Amino acid sequence: MALSRPAIPLPPPARGGSVVDVRREGFELPAHATAVAAARERVWGQLCSWGVPEDLGRTAQLVVSEFFTNAVVHTDSCRIRCRLQVCSELLRIEVCDEGGDCSEVAPRQAAAEDVDGRGLQLVGAVAERWGVRADVQQQGRVVWAELRLTVR
C-alpha cells in the first residue's frame, strides 16, 4: 500500500529553475517479526525498479532491517510505515513506528559477548547521516537515514 503523503518536503528547484527528479514510495506493514524480511524485500524491489545500484540497495536493506527490527522489538506498535525518497544525491529512508519517546533511540555500547545491540552503530557507519524525530501527526516517531547515491 503506497502512502499518500510525501516523505519529506520537495527540494527547491535546481539553479536555473529546472525541476529536480524526486522519487517517493511508501508502504505499511503489521508490527510482527515477519515484517522485517517483508520490508527488506519491498525496499529491494522498489530500489531496483528505480535503478539504484545494487550495493546501495543492499545497504538500504540493512538500514531498513535495523529500523524495523527495533520498532518490532522495542515498541508496542501495531503498524510500521516505511518511506523511501531518492532526490539528487541522496536516498532517504524513514521508518515510522508508534513508539513515543525519541530519546530512547540511540546506539548502545554492546559488550563483546552480546549477540545484539550493534545495529544503530552499523547504521551510523553506512549512513551519511541519521536521526530520530517525533511524528506528531501519527503520535509516534520517525527514525531516518540518508545514504549517498554517489561515491565521493
Side-chain angles (χ1 to χ4, degrees):
M1 167 196 320
L3 298 176
S4 59
R5 57 186 196 144
I8 58 177
L10 282 171
R15 286 193 177 163
S18 63
V19 177
V20 176
D21 183 27
V22 178
R23 297 178 184 188
R24 294 186 183 98
E25 185 60 44
F27 59 90
E28 184 176 281
L29 296 169
H32 299 272
T34 57
V36 178
R40 278 194 305 265
E41 289 307 309
R42 293 281 299 264
V43 166
W44 178 254
Q46 186 59 57
L47 295 180
C48 285
S49 76
W50 286 343
V52 170
E54 182 177 346
D55 59 337
L56 180 63
R58 296 295 180 204
T59 301
Q61 283 185 301
L62 178 141
V63 170
V64 165
S65 183
E66 176 57 28
F67 289 172
F68 262 78
T69 298
N70 284 348
V72 168
V73 172
H74 299 294
T75 73
D76 290 329
S77 298
C78 293
R79 308 286 296 170
I80 303 169
R81 295 178 322 280
C82 181
R83 299 178 196 136
L84 303 171
Q85 178 172 292
V86 173
C87 178
S88 299
E89 297 180 2
L90 292 176
L91 164 62
R92 183 175 175 101
I93 300 165
E94 295 182 346
V95 173
C96 313
D97 62 39
E98 296 166 326
D101 189 3
C102 292
S103 65
E104 295 176 15
V105 180
R108 65 180 183 140
Q109 298 300 318
E113 64 275 4
D114 290 345
V115 295
D116 59 7
R118 294 173 185 82
L120 291 177
Q121 291 176 350
L122 285 171
V123 170
V126 299
E128 188 72 19
R129 6 181 250 145
W130 75 277
V132 60
R133 65 177 170 78
D135 184 354
V136 290
Q137 291 179 343
Q138 300 295 323
Q139 297 180 344
R141 74 176 143 220
V142 178
V143 183
W144 58 269
E146 293 178 341
L147 306 176
R148 186 157 298 282
L149 293 174
T150 56
V151 179
R152 288 197 236 187

